[in-house]
Amino acid sequence: IAPYGWEVLVDQPGSTQVQPSNILVSLATASIGVGELFRAMFAELLPACRVRPSPAALNILTFDERSHDLPALPSNIDIGRVHLVGAGAVGQAAIYTLARVSATGTLVVVDPEDVSLSNLQRYVLTMDGDVGSSKCSLAARALRGSRIASVCRDYCWGDAALAAAGQIGEGCAAV
C-alpha cells in the first residue's frame, strides 16, 4: 500500500515504495493500510475476505480508479471561521490534517469532554499523559505553530443559552 499523487495504491506494482504525495493521501493510505493489516490478521475469522492480492487504486480527490491530471494541494487554504463539533477520533484526525497543510483561519473546537483512558488509542493527538485533559486543549496544542487560530469551547453544541449569547453560531460548518 502506498500513496502516489492523489491516489492510494493497493497491491500495485511499485506500491511497496514511497512515492511523491501529500499529507491527505498519506493519511488515507495509512488508514487503508491499517484496514489491510486487520484483514490479514483476522482473515480466518472474517466470513468474506480477499485471500490473494487484488490490485486497486483509489483517487481520494475524485473517488474513482482513474488517474487524472490533478492539481497539487493548494499552498494557501483559507478555511475562514469553522466550528468543529467533537474533538474525538474523527475531529482529531481533521485537526491533525489542518495543522499540516498550508491553511489559515479560525477553528472553533466544541467539545465538553476530557480524554479518557478507554478511548486513548483512537486519538491521533494524545499521549498517555493526556488522560484527563480537555479535548479542546489538545486541539489548541496541536494547532500551535500552524496558521490556524483555535478557540476552545468546553460545552455541548446546541446549548441554547450559549447560542443566544453568541458563543456558538447556528448554520456554522460542522465536521
Side-chain angles (χ1 to χ4, degrees):
I1 297 175
Y4 181 75
W6 283 99
E7 296 178 350
V8 176
L9 305 177
V10 179
D11 294 334
Q12 295 276 345
S15 64
T16 59
Q17 300 173 352
V18 176
Q19 304 290 332
S21 188
N22 64 59
I23 186 70
L24 303 176
V25 178
S26 296
L27 291 170
T29 301
S31 297
I32 292 171
V34 168
E36 285 294 290
L37 178 63
F38 179 88
R39 180 199 53 79
M41 296 298 295
F42 297 100
E44 293 177 6
L45 303 173
L46 300 172
C49 184
R50 69 184 185 106
V51 293
R52 59 183 129 344
S54 181
L58 172 67
N59 186 302
I60 70 161
L61 195 59
T62 62
F63 297 112
D64 63 21
E65 294 183 12
R66 294 182 302 272
S67 180
H68 301 280
D69 185 22
L70 298 170
L73 192 62
S75 61
N76 189 18
I77 303 167
D78 183 0
I79 65 168
R81 183 178 176 92
V82 176
H83 283 72
L84 176 75
V85 181
V90 174
Q92 286 191 20
I95 293 163
Y96 181 89
T97 303
L98 285 170
R100 282 155 182 79
V101 298
S102 184
T104 60
T106 301
L107 186 65
V108 180
V109 181
V110 181
D111 196 318
E113 297 179 355
D114 292 338
V115 175
S116 65
L117 183 61
S118 65
N119 53 21
L120 188 67
Q121 78 283 358
R122 293 190 309 237
Y123 298 158
V124 297
L125 301 179
T126 59
M127 295 173 275
D128 291 347
D130 293 324
V131 171
S133 299
S134 85
K135 293 179 186 176
C136 282
S137 68
L138 295 176
R141 180 180 74 194
L143 291 168
R144 267 188 225 117
S146 75
R147 298 183 312 153
I148 297 176
S150 65
V151 177
C152 290
R153 300 290 186 229
D154 291 320
Y155 43 70
C156 292
W157 178 260
D159 185 317
L162 296 171
Q167 296 295 309
I168 54 177
E170 294 184 357
C172 297
V175 175

PDB file of all heavy atoms in Angstrom, residues 77-104:
ATOM      1  N   ILE A  77      -4.759  27.652   1.903  1.00  0.00           N
ATOM      2  CA  ILE A  77      -6.172  27.321   2.029  1.00  0.00           C
ATOM      3  C   ILE A  77      -6.752  28.167   3.148  1.00  0.00           C
ATOM      4  O   ILE A  77      -6.325  28.072   4.295  1.00  0.00           O
ATOM      5  CB  ILE A  77      -6.345  25.826   2.380  1.00  0.00           C
ATOM      6  CG1 ILE A  77      -5.682  24.949   1.325  1.00  0.00           C
ATOM      7  CG2 ILE A  77      -7.824  25.472   2.540  1.00  0.00           C
ATOM      8  CD1 ILE A  77      -5.534  23.495   1.734  1.00  0.00           C
ATOM      9  N   ASP A  78      -7.718  29.022   2.823  1.00  0.00           N
ATOM     10  CA  ASP A  78      -8.370  29.856   3.827  1.00  0.00           C
ATOM     11  C   ASP A  78      -9.663  29.178   4.247  1.00  0.00           C
ATOM     12  O   ASP A  78     -10.604  29.095   3.459  1.00  0.00           O
ATOM     13  CB  ASP A  78      -8.644  31.251   3.268  1.00  0.00           C
ATOM     14  CG  ASP A  78      -9.250  32.188   4.305  1.00  0.00           C
ATOM     15  OD1 ASP A  78      -9.462  31.770   5.468  1.00  0.00           O
ATOM     16  OD2 ASP A  78      -9.510  33.347   3.945  1.00  0.00           O
ATOM     17  N   ILE A  79      -9.718  28.671   5.474  1.00  0.00           N
ATOM     18  CA  ILE A  79     -10.922  27.987   5.940  1.00  0.00           C
ATOM     19  C   ILE A  79     -11.930  28.941   6.558  1.00  0.00           C
ATOM     20  O   ILE A  79     -13.034  28.532   6.912  1.00  0.00           O
ATOM     21  CB  ILE A  79     -10.580  26.847   6.932  1.00  0.00           C
ATOM     22  CG1 ILE A  79      -9.969  27.399   8.225  1.00  0.00           C
ATOM     23  CG2 ILE A  79      -9.699  25.801   6.282  1.00  0.00           C
ATOM     24  CD1 ILE A  79      -9.876  26.389   9.355  1.00  0.00           C
ATOM     25  N   GLY A  80     -11.558  30.214   6.698  1.00  0.00           N
ATOM     26  CA  GLY A  80     -12.459  31.174   7.339  1.00  0.00           C
ATOM     27  C   GLY A  80     -12.617  30.837   8.813  1.00  0.00           C
ATOM     28  O   GLY A  80     -11.657  30.519   9.495  1.00  0.00           O
ATOM     29  N   ARG A  81     -13.849  30.884   9.294  1.00  0.00           N
ATOM     30  CA  ARG A  81     -14.148  30.511  10.691  1.00  0.00           C
ATOM     31  C   ARG A  81     -15.038  29.280  10.645  1.00  0.00           C
ATOM     32  O   ARG A  81     -16.151  29.340  10.127  1.00  0.00           O
ATOM     33  CB  ARG A  81     -14.844  31.657  11.412  1.00  0.00           C
ATOM     34  CG  ARG A  81     -15.133  31.378  12.880  1.00  0.00           C
ATOM     35  CD  ARG A  81     -15.789  32.592  13.550  1.00  0.00           C
ATOM     36  NE  ARG A  81     -16.157  32.329  14.918  1.00  0.00           N
ATOM     37  CZ  ARG A  81     -15.361  32.573  15.964  1.00  0.00           C
ATOM     38  NH1 ARG A  81     -14.164  33.105  15.769  1.00  0.00           N
ATOM     39  NH2 ARG A  81     -15.763  32.318  17.197  1.00  0.00           N
ATOM     40  N   VAL A  82     -14.543  28.183  11.179  1.00  0.00           N
ATOM     41  CA  VAL A  82     -15.245  26.906  11.114  1.00  0.00           C
ATOM     42  C   VAL A  82     -15.424  26.371  12.523  1.00  0.00           C
ATOM     43  O   VAL A  82     -14.509  26.453  13.344  1.00  0.00           O
ATOM     44  CB  VAL A  82     -14.429  25.883  10.276  1.00  0.00           C
ATOM     45  CG1 VAL A  82     -15.087  24.516  10.284  1.00  0.00           C
ATOM     46  CG2 VAL A  82     -14.245  26.371   8.859  1.00  0.00           C
ATOM     47  N   HIS A  83     -16.604  25.817  12.799  1.00  0.00           N
ATOM     48  CA  HIS A  83     -16.853  25.153  14.073  1.00  0.00           C
ATOM     49  C   HIS A  83     -16.649  23.654  13.864  1.00  0.00           C
ATOM     50  O   HIS A  83     -17.269  23.055  12.994  1.00  0.00           O
ATOM     51  CB  HIS A  83     -18.280  25.412  14.560  1.00  0.00           C
ATOM     52  CG  HIS A  83     -18.471  26.769  15.136  1.00  0.00           C
ATOM     53  ND1 HIS A  83     -18.483  27.906  14.357  1.00  0.00           N
ATOM     54  CD2 HIS A  83     -18.657  27.183  16.414  1.00  0.00           C
ATOM     55  CE1 HIS A  83     -18.669  28.958  15.141  1.00  0.00           C
ATOM     56  NE2 HIS A  83     -18.774  28.546  16.389  1.00  0.00           N
ATOM     57  N   LEU A  84     -15.800  23.067  14.669  1.00  0.00           N
ATOM     58  CA  LEU A  84     -15.577  21.630  14.666  1.00  0.00           C
ATOM     59  C   LEU A  84     -16.276  21.084  15.895  1.00  0.00           C
ATOM     60  O   LEU A  84     -15.878  21.362  17.031  1.00  0.00           O
ATOM     61  CB  LEU A  84     -14.079  21.303  14.728  1.00  0.00           C
ATOM     62  CG  LEU A  84     -13.735  19.828  14.820  1.00  0.00           C
ATOM     63  CD1 LEU A  84     -13.945  19.157  13.460  1.00  0.00           C
ATOM     64  CD2 LEU A  84     -12.308  19.650  15.280  1.00  0.00           C
ATOM     65  N   VAL A  85     -17.345  20.342  15.680  1.00  0.00           N
ATOM     66  CA  VAL A  85     -18.138  19.828  16.785  1.00  0.00           C
ATOM     67  C   VAL A  85     -17.672  18.412  17.080  1.00  0.00           C
ATOM     68  O   VAL A  85     -17.926  17.484  16.335  1.00  0.00           O
ATOM     69  CB  VAL A  85     -19.644  19.849  16.461  1.00  0.00           C
ATOM     70  CG1 VAL A  85     -20.450  19.328  17.632  1.00  0.00           C
ATOM     71  CG2 VAL A  85     -20.075  21.257  16.089  1.00  0.00           C
ATOM     72  N   GLY A  86     -16.933  18.280  18.161  1.00  0.00           N
ATOM     73  CA  GLY A  86     -16.394  16.990  18.573  1.00  0.00           C
ATOM     74  C   GLY A  86     -14.919  16.885  18.242  1.00  0.00           C
ATOM     75  O   GLY A  86     -14.522  16.987  17.087  1.00  0.00           O
ATOM     76  N   ALA A  87     -14.106  16.707  19.259  1.00  0.00           N
ATOM     77  CA  ALA A  87     -12.660  16.564  19.073  1.00  0.00           C
ATOM     78  C   ALA A  87     -12.215  15.170  19.496  1.00  0.00           C
ATOM     79  O   ALA A  87     -11.200  14.990  20.136  1.00  0.00           O
ATOM     80  CB  ALA A  87     -11.913  17.640  19.860  1.00  0.00           C
ATOM     81  N   GLY A  88     -13.037  14.176  19.114  1.00  0.00           N
ATOM     82  CA  GLY A  88     -12.686  12.777  19.357  1.00  0.00           C
ATOM     83  C   GLY A  88     -11.829  12.270  18.209  1.00  0.00           C
ATOM     84  O   GLY A  88     -11.031  13.007  17.635  1.00  0.00           O
ATOM     85  N   ALA A  89     -11.994  11.020  17.867  1.00  0.00           N
ATOM     86  CA  ALA A  89     -11.137  10.379  16.857  1.00  0.00           C
ATOM     87  C   ALA A  89     -11.211  11.086  15.500  1.00  0.00           C
ATOM     88  O   ALA A  89     -10.185  11.448  14.926  1.00  0.00           O
ATOM     89  CB  ALA A  89     -11.508   8.905  16.727  1.00  0.00           C
ATOM     90  N   VAL A  90     -12.404  11.305  14.979  1.00  0.00           N
ATOM     91  CA  VAL A  90     -12.545  11.929  13.661  1.00  0.00           C
ATOM     92  C   VAL A  90     -12.156  13.409  13.726  1.00  0.00           C
ATOM     93  O   VAL A  90     -11.448  13.914  12.851  1.00  0.00           O
ATOM     94  CB  VAL A  90     -13.986  11.748  13.128  1.00  0.00           C
ATOM     95  CG1 VAL A  90     -14.189  12.518  11.836  1.00  0.00           C
ATOM     96  CG2 VAL A  90     -14.290  10.268  12.915  1.00  0.00           C
ATOM     97  N   GLY A  91     -12.594  14.097  14.763  1.00  0.00           N
ATOM     98  CA  GLY A  91     -12.234  15.506  14.914  1.00  0.00           C
ATOM     99  C   GLY A  91     -10.736  15.703  15.043  1.00  0.00           C
ATOM    100  O   GLY A  91     -10.158  16.628  14.464  1.00  0.00           O
ATOM    101  N   GLN A  92     -10.065  14.821  15.795  1.00  0.00           N
ATOM    102  CA  GLN A  92      -8.619  14.949  15.942  1.00  0.00           C
ATOM    103  C   GLN A  92      -7.899  14.663  14.629  1.00  0.00           C
ATOM    104  O   GLN A  92      -6.882  15.290  14.338  1.00  0.00           O
ATOM    105  CB  GLN A  92      -8.112  14.033  17.057  1.00  0.00           C
ATOM    106  CG  GLN A  92      -8.465  14.575  18.421  1.00  0.00           C
ATOM    107  CD  GLN A  92      -7.761  13.833  19.540  1.00  0.00           C
ATOM    108  OE1 GLN A  92      -6.753  13.177  19.343  1.00  0.00           O
ATOM    109  NE2 GLN A  92      -8.299  13.960  20.738  1.00  0.00           N
ATOM    110  N   ALA A  93      -8.408  13.744  13.838  1.00  0.00           N
ATOM    111  CA  ALA A  93      -7.803  13.490  12.527  1.00  0.00           C
ATOM    112  C   ALA A  93      -7.923  14.740  11.650  1.00  0.00           C
ATOM    113  O   ALA A  93      -6.981  15.108  10.934  1.00  0.00           O
ATOM    114  CB  ALA A  93      -8.456  12.292  11.855  1.00  0.00           C
ATOM    115  N   ALA A  94      -9.056  15.428  11.726  1.00  0.00           N
ATOM    116  CA  ALA A  94      -9.238  16.669  10.965  1.00  0.00           C
ATOM    117  C   ALA A  94      -8.270  17.744  11.455  1.00  0.00           C
ATOM    118  O   ALA A  94      -7.647  18.447  10.651  1.00  0.00           O
ATOM    119  CB  ALA A  94     -10.684  17.152  11.084  1.00  0.00           C
ATOM    120  N   ILE A  95      -8.125  17.869  12.762  1.00  0.00           N
ATOM    121  CA  ILE A  95      -7.205  18.859  13.344  1.00  0.00           C
ATOM    122  C   ILE A  95      -5.770  18.541  12.939  1.00  0.00           C
ATOM    123  O   ILE A  95      -5.011  19.428  12.530  1.00  0.00           O
ATOM    124  CB  ILE A  95      -7.353  18.900  14.879  1.00  0.00           C
ATOM    125  CG1 ILE A  95      -8.728  19.446  15.259  1.00  0.00           C
ATOM    126  CG2 ILE A  95      -6.238  19.728  15.513  1.00  0.00           C
ATOM    127  CD1 ILE A  95      -9.129  19.164  16.692  1.00  0.00           C
ATOM    128  N   TYR A  96      -5.390  17.272  13.038  1.00  0.00           N
ATOM    129  CA  TYR A  96      -4.046  16.832  12.658  1.00  0.00           C
ATOM    130  C   TYR A  96      -3.747  17.226  11.211  1.00  0.00           C
ATOM    131  O   TYR A  96      -2.684  17.754  10.902  1.00  0.00           O
ATOM    132  CB  TYR A  96      -3.945  15.319  12.842  1.00  0.00           C
ATOM    133  CG  TYR A  96      -2.598  14.733  12.505  1.00  0.00           C
ATOM    134  CD1 TYR A  96      -1.616  14.633  13.482  1.00  0.00           C
ATOM    135  CD2 TYR A  96      -2.308  14.270  11.224  1.00  0.00           C
ATOM    136  CE1 TYR A  96      -0.373  14.093  13.189  1.00  0.00           C
ATOM    137  CE2 TYR A  96      -1.071  13.734  10.926  1.00  0.00           C
ATOM    138  CZ  TYR A  96      -0.106  13.636  11.909  1.00  0.00           C
ATOM    139  OH  TYR A  96       1.114  13.110  11.600  1.00  0.00           O
ATOM    140  N   THR A  97      -4.706  16.991  10.328  1.00  0.00           N
ATOM    141  CA  THR A  97      -4.522  17.309   8.912  1.00  0.00           C
ATOM    142  C   THR A  97      -4.440  18.815   8.697  1.00  0.00           C
ATOM    143  O   THR A  97      -3.543  19.299   7.998  1.00  0.00           O
ATOM    144  CB  THR A  97      -5.675  16.717   8.079  1.00  0.00           C
ATOM    145  OG1 THR A  97      -5.720  15.305   8.305  1.00  0.00           O
ATOM    146  CG2 THR A  97      -5.481  16.993   6.598  1.00  0.00           C
ATOM    147  N   LEU A  98      -5.353  19.569   9.293  1.00  0.00           N
ATOM    148  CA  LEU A  98      -5.342  21.027   9.115  1.00  0.00           C
ATOM    149  C   LEU A  98      -4.044  21.655   9.614  1.00  0.00           C
ATOM    150  O   LEU A  98      -3.555  22.621   9.049  1.00  0.00           O
ATOM    151  CB  LEU A  98      -6.535  21.666   9.827  1.00  0.00           C
ATOM    152  CG  LEU A  98      -7.878  21.494   9.144  1.00  0.00           C
ATOM    153  CD1 LEU A  98      -9.006  21.962  10.058  1.00  0.00           C
ATOM    154  CD2 LEU A  98      -7.909  22.238   7.819  1.00  0.00           C
ATOM    155  N   ALA A  99      -3.480  21.090  10.672  1.00  0.00           N
ATOM    156  CA  ALA A  99      -2.236  21.632  11.223  1.00  0.00           C
ATOM    157  C   ALA A  99      -1.053  21.394  10.283  1.00  0.00           C
ATOM    158  O   ALA A  99      -0.025  22.047  10.413  1.00  0.00           O
ATOM    159  CB  ALA A  99      -1.949  21.014  12.584  1.00  0.00           C
ATOM    160  N   ARG A 100      -1.208  20.478   9.344  1.00  0.00           N
ATOM    161  CA  ARG A 100      -0.088  20.115   8.477  1.00  0.00           C
ATOM    162  C   ARG A 100      -0.220  20.592   7.031  1.00  0.00           C
ATOM    163  O   ARG A 100       0.686  20.405   6.244  1.00  0.00           O
ATOM    164  CB  ARG A 100       0.100  18.600   8.520  1.00  0.00           C
ATOM    165  CG  ARG A 100       0.820  18.217   9.786  1.00  0.00           C
ATOM    166  CD  ARG A 100       0.557  16.818  10.237  1.00  0.00           C
ATOM    167  NE  ARG A 100       1.270  16.563  11.504  1.00  0.00           N
ATOM    168  CZ  ARG A 100       0.858  16.959  12.674  1.00  0.00           C
ATOM    169  NH1 ARG A 100      -0.254  17.655  12.803  1.00  0.00           N
ATOM    170  NH2 ARG A 100       1.553  16.703  13.772  1.00  0.00           N
ATOM    171  N   VAL A 101      -1.340  21.162   6.679  1.00  0.00           N
ATOM    172  CA  VAL A 101      -1.475  21.762   5.356  1.00  0.00           C
ATOM    173  C   VAL A 101      -1.316  23.266   5.509  1.00  0.00           C
ATOM    174  O   VAL A 101      -1.356  23.793   6.616  1.00  0.00           O
ATOM    175  CB  VAL A 101      -2.824  21.415   4.679  1.00  0.00           C
ATOM    176  CG1 VAL A 101      -2.950  19.922   4.451  1.00  0.00           C
ATOM    177  CG2 VAL A 101      -4.006  21.940   5.459  1.00  0.00           C
ATOM    178  N   SER A 102      -1.154  23.940   4.419  1.00  0.00           N
ATOM    179  CA  SER A 102      -0.950  25.380   4.464  1.00  0.00           C
ATOM    180  C   SER A 102      -2.306  26.084   4.537  1.00  0.00           C
ATOM    181  O   SER A 102      -2.800  26.608   3.548  1.00  0.00           O
ATOM    182  CB  SER A 102      -0.164  25.827   3.231  1.00  0.00           C
ATOM    183  OG  SER A 102       0.111  27.195   3.316  1.00  0.00           O
ATOM    184  N   ALA A 103      -2.915  26.035   5.720  1.00  0.00           N
ATOM    185  CA  ALA A 103      -4.243  26.612   5.905  1.00  0.00           C
ATOM    186  C   ALA A 103      -4.184  27.774   6.883  1.00  0.00           C
ATOM    187  O   ALA A 103      -3.330  27.829   7.765  1.00  0.00           O
ATOM    188  CB  ALA A 103      -5.209  25.554   6.420  1.00  0.00           C
ATOM    189  N   THR A 104      -5.126  28.698   6.705  1.00  0.00           N
ATOM    190  CA  THR A 104      -5.283  29.832   7.613  1.00  0.00           C
ATOM    191  C   THR A 104      -6.750  29.922   8.008  1.00  0.00           C
ATOM    192  O   THR A 104      -7.618  29.412   7.318  1.00  0.00           O
ATOM    193  CB  THR A 104      -4.859  31.159   6.950  1.00  0.00           C
ATOM    194  OG1 THR A 104      -5.687  31.380   5.800  1.00  0.00           O
ATOM    195  CG2 THR A 104      -3.413  31.136   6.536  1.00  0.00           C
TER     196      THR A 104
END
